Amino acid sequence: MRNDGFDEFVAGWSARLLRSAYLLTGDRGLAEDLVQDVYERLYVAWPRVADPAAYAHRVLTRQAMNRWRTRSRRPKEAALGLEHDRPDHRADAVTAFHERAVIVAALRTLTARQRAVVVLRYFADLSEADTAAAMGCSVGTVKSQTARALARLRTVLPALDDTHLTPEARS
């Protein structure tokens, strides 16, 4: 069969790819469209792809960056619903939702390349080499973009976290 293993890959990787796509786009609908585009391209290339996960991340990142380039302004970003990523290891779903909102708000402050590097390195858990391959750049570029992104996030996250606190939690 032509797509031997494709269905299993889709079943096993959909949640991770959707989460990465959401973090790259900031919009659930755009993320779903992006993942669908990735699967279409992957299906066509499936017989020649040696590492489907690496290929999927590379296509995901390139497609997301192409969307950023073609838009004159960022699309309205919507919060990801609680039903998407249930926090199995947390007792408090509200805390998980709050943390997600803070992370997404912080990611919005980064440039497209910085956002892609952070998502691929820390949310998709790719190595520097795999991130460079997915982005079509050198490992040095990944390192420098990561350093700049983390420096920016260090300045933004404390301020964002404070603005997302409820009045009761601030006192």
Side-chain angles (χ1 to χ4, degrees):
M1 182 180 227
R2 177 189 161 145
N3 68 352
D4 235 2
F6 180 79
D7 294 337
E8 291 81 15
F9 177 81
V10 170
W13 279 83
S14 286
R16 283 184 73 181
L17 289 174
L18 183 60
R19 182 177 55 237
S20 293
Y22 174 74
L23 292 169
L24 287 168
T25 63
D27 181 90
R28 173 70 184 245
L30 289 174
E32 290 171 351
D33 290 346
L34 191 58
V35 171
Q36 184 62 37
D37 291 346
V38 168
Y39 286 147
E40 288 173 10
R41 291 172 183 265
L42 180 59
Y43 185 81
V44 170
W46 188 258
R48 339 180 270 286
V49 173
D51 185 354
Y55 181 88
H57 278 106
R58 182 171 51 252
V59 171
L60 182 75
T61 304
R62 289 182 179 166
Q63 289 294 98
M65 291 176 77
N66 285 340
R67 286 179 186 221
W68 292 327
R69 286 184 201 121
T70 59
R71 295 191 184 279
S72 60
R73 59 186 172 90
R74 287 188 178 175
K76 182 178 181 247
E77 298 179 358
L80 189 61
L82 286 174
E83 73 282 353
H84 168 68
D85 206 10
R86 297 218 183 264
D88 298 324
H89 62 284
R90 293 189 178 128
D92 189 3
V94 173
T95 301
F97 186 77
H98 166 74
E99 289 172 358
R100 183 182 302 120
V102 169
I103 290 169
V104 170
L107 288 173
R108 286 184 201 144
T109 68
L110 301 176
T111 66
R113 287 179 71 94
Q114 290 172 350
R115 189 176 193 175
V117 166
V118 169
V119 169
L120 293 173
R121 289 281 293 128
Y122 299 104
F123 292 97
D125 202 28
L126 297 183
S127 68
E128 288 173 342
D130 291 340
T131 300
M135 294 180 63
C137 65
S138 70
V139 173
T141 299
V142 169
K143 290 179 181 182
S144 66
Q145 291 295 312
T146 301
R148 290 181 186 123
L150 293 178
R152 174 75 179 144
L153 290 174
R154 283 186 194 103
T155 63
V156 170
L157 278 172
L160 283 175
D161 195 36
D162 190 41
T163 62
H164 282 82
L165 290 176
T166 61
E168 303 84 40
R170 286 188 194 127
S171 50

